Amino acid sequence: MEQREKQKMMRYDPLTDAERSERMSRIRNADTKPEMIVRRLVHGMGYRYRLHARDLPGNPDLAFRPRKKVIFVHGCFWHRCPTCNPPNPKSHSEFWTRKFELNVERDARKRGQLEDAGWMVIEVWECAVRDRLPEVIAEITARLAARPRVASAV
């Protein structure tokens, strides 16, 4: 029984609730390195944008209002990149699985809301910025230059 108690104690978080809260608060949801790279690239291309438009579904990282286009720069871990397939945390796996499922569902729902409102959504993944930057530049350039889709009145 003593061995079992030791194992149980080892699974607990060694940090206090206040310490864990403080550490988690340092995880950024804006101005991340991949987002800053994309912002610099887009600005260097001559495009101007609004940051984190709170009046749009999902608070897109970059919003190009006259063009009705938005860019989301997704972190691979939190948004579950389909390309690099990041590993799940080993502890509290049920919590994390559900958390990630809800994140992915919310992303899809917000994307759908934007598209239904006539916005073009561009998703840029953290791993693509890190590993395939020339492809990211080409994709963003093509998508921002594309003419907006006009709904037909037929």
Side-chain angles (χ1 to χ4, degrees):
M1 182 108 166
E2 188 174 272
Q3 181 67 17
R4 183 175 275 190
E5 286 296 311
K6 285 182 184 177
Q7 288 175 339
K8 196 173 185 183
M9 292 297 286
M10 288 174 49
R11 284 190 222 142
Y12 289 113
D13 193 347
L15 302 176
T16 66
D17 287 346
E19 291 170 330
R20 176 60 58 204
S21 177
E22 197 273 328
R23 281 198 190 173
M24 292 301 286
S25 73
R26 289 184 181 187
I27 297 173
R28 304 178 93 169
N29 66 350
D31 302 333
T32 61
K33 286 182 184 179
E35 181 185 331
M36 296 302 291
I37 290 169
V38 170
R39 283 165 47 178
R40 285 186 198 108
L41 288 170
V42 171
H43 191 272
M45 292 175 195
Y47 293 103
R48 300 301 176 254
Y49 49 83
R50 293 286 172 239
L51 293 175
H52 315 291
R54 292 187 178 181
D55 59 327
L56 294 176
N59 301 340
D61 297 311
L62 286 75
F64 305 85
R65 290 186 188 280
R67 298 172 180 276
K68 287 200 83 165
K69 297 177 184 181
V70 297
I71 296 178
F72 287 99
V73 183
H74 287 320
C76 293
F77 179 76
W78 295 105
H79 297 272
R80 310 318 289 170
C81 176
T83 304
C84 67
N85 197 18
N88 286 334
K90 290 186 168 90
S91 63
H92 308 290
S93 59
E94 290 178 17
F95 166 82
W96 287 109
T97 299
R98 183 71 183 136
K99 169 81 172 150
F100 295 142
E101 287 171 356
L102 290 173
N103 286 355
V104 171
E105 289 171 12
R106 184 183 59 245
D107 290 344
R109 188 173 62 252
K110 298 301 180 183
R111 180 187 183 104
Q113 290 171 350
L114 284 163
E115 289 173 344
D116 290 347
W119 289 78
M120 177 188 284
V121 178
I122 304 166
E123 289 180 334
V124 178
W125 290 96
E126 173 186 12
C127 63
V129 172
R130 183 184 61 238
D131 301 335
R132 301 181 306 278
L133 193 56
E135 293 174 29
V136 170
I137 294 169
E139 177 72 16
I140 290 173
T141 302
R143 301 282 305 272
L144 288 177
R147 296 219 155 223
R149 291 175 278 165
V150 178
S152 66
V154 178

